[in-house]
Amino acid sequence: RRSAPAPSGPRQHTRLAMALRLAARGAALGARAGRPFLGSRTATAAPMRPCLAPLGGLRSLAGWPTADGANDFHGTTILSVRRGGKVVVIGDGQISQGNTVVKGNAIKVRRIGGSADGDSSSAVIAGFAGATADALTLLDRLEKKLEQYPGQLTRSCVELAKLWRTDKYLRRLEAIMVVVDKDVSLTLTGNGDVIQSPDGVIAVGSGGLYALSAARALNGLESENLDAEEIARRAMAVASDLCVFTNANYTVEVIEAGKAASK
């Protein structure tokens, strides 16, 4: 039995033209989205745009490159140096949005522990990079953890990092914290990291790499004339000279044997 020939005419040509248009439109949309259109054999996939990190804000806070534009807030350099029984946390005061300096005397280093008589046995210093509201929220949570686990900074930071990572509200906070006491120096991130410095030198922020390099170089010198505070100030001076998002308006907090001081 012979099959009937396929109908031809204006109606069939119209359907074919519509099908070709839909195929071409799907191929264009698929190429724009980074994947080929399944109905087209000639469609080619456009290269996917690389993603630098799931948390671009944290990368910028740590001094790493991001794909974001000039709306990001920069201008934080926090440095901690431990040497000779003294630990210092120093931070600059500049906050920038794009190429504009928003504020030049911000306080990004705070002492959240210690007794009123100056005893440093329970003193804790925290420096933060990130949005002020986010950082203050995390500092408040850290204080509560220190009240829950007195004298156990590492455990308090681990519990805070777990809460920061798992809580559906806290996980939206973008900040990086440098937390120190008389025994340990720690870095906390929103990725759940609690990193202890092997040499007592920590730096985060837009000028963190400059400050870290200078502080490690000065800390390696066998000169007794350089204490932790002098090393921190010299390293921050290098960072403020090289990083346009860092100024020389410093906030310094110090913990040493028997007392805690702020400058």
Side-chain angles (χ1 to χ4, degrees), residues 162-245:
K162 290 164 57 177
L163 184 65
W164 190 357
R165 180 66 173 172
T166 57
D167 188 270
K168 65 179 181 179
Y169 297 108
L170 293 182
R171 72 174 61 174
R172 298 177 180 273
L173 303 181
E174 290 193 350
I176 291 182
M177 299 177 60
V178 174
V179 185
V180 304
D181 66 356
K182 61 183 181 65
D183 297 320
V184 295
S185 300
L186 302 172
T187 304
L188 280 73
T189 72
N191 293 329
D193 301 323
V194 180
I195 306 173
Q196 181 175 357
S197 172
D199 56 359
V201 181
I202 301 175
V204 297
S206 57
L209 295 179
Y210 308 121
L212 180 65
S213 301
R216 284 185 172 175
L218 293 172
N219 196 36
L221 298 178
E222 298 297 332
S223 175
E224 298 181 357
N225 297 328
L226 293 177
D227 63 352
E229 183 176 352
E230 182 66 22
I231 291 175
R233 289 185 178 274
R234 292 191 181 187
M236 282 294 293
V238 173
S240 60
D241 287 341
L242 295 177
C243 179
V244 297
F245 300 112

Side-chain angles (χ1 to χ4, degrees), residues 67-257:
D68 299 330
N71 291 327
D72 291 339
F73 281 88
H74 303 278
T76 299
T77 300
I78 304 294
L79 172 67
S80 176
V81 179
R82 182 184 299 272
R83 185 176 186 179
K86 178 189 293 187
V87 58
V88 179
V89 180
I90 182 172
D92 78 305
Q94 179 171 322
I95 298 177
S96 304
Q97 184 179 18
N99 296 325
T100 303
V101 177
V102 179
K103 188 175 182 179
N105 59 345
I107 298 177
K108 310 168 188 176
V109 178
R110 304 192 178 205
R111 184 157 61 95
I112 60 176
S115 59
D117 58 0
D119 183 18
S120 64
S121 60
S122 60
V124 176
I125 301 175
F128 60 86
T132 303
D134 294 358
L136 292 180
T137 301
L138 294 170
L139 287 176
D140 181 66
R141 295 300 182 103
L142 179 59
E143 282 188 288
K144 293 180 179 178
K145 292 298 181 182
L146 288 172
E147 293 175 359
Q148 185 178 358
Y149 308 105
Q152 305 179 56
L153 179 61
T154 302
R155 182 175 182 182
S156 300
C157 290
V158 170
E159 293 297 326
L160 175 62
K162 290 164 57 177
L163 184 65
W164 190 357
R165 180 66 173 172
T166 57
D167 188 270
K168 65 179 181 179
Y169 297 108
L170 293 182
R171 72 174 61 174
R172 298 177 180 273
L173 303 181
E174 290 193 350
I176 291 182
M177 299 177 60
V178 174
V179 185
V180 304
D181 66 356
K182 61 183 181 65
D183 297 320
V184 295
S185 300
L186 302 172
T187 304
L188 280 73
T189 72
N191 293 329
D193 301 323
V194 180
I195 306 173
Q196 181 175 357
S197 172
D199 56 359
V201 181
I202 301 175
V204 297
S206 57
L209 295 179
Y210 308 121
L212 180 65
S213 301
R216 284 185 172 175
L218 293 172
N219 196 36
L221 298 178
E222 298 297 332
S223 175
E224 298 181 357
N225 297 328
L226 293 177
D227 63 352
E229 183 176 352
E230 182 66 22
I231 291 175
R233 289 185 178 274
R234 292 191 181 187
M236 282 294 293
V238 173
S240 60
D241 287 341
L242 295 177
C243 179
V244 297
F245 300 112
T246 303
N247 65 8
N249 190 3
Y250 306 139
T251 301
V252 184
E253 293 282 352
V254 182
I255 297 178
E256 51 186 335

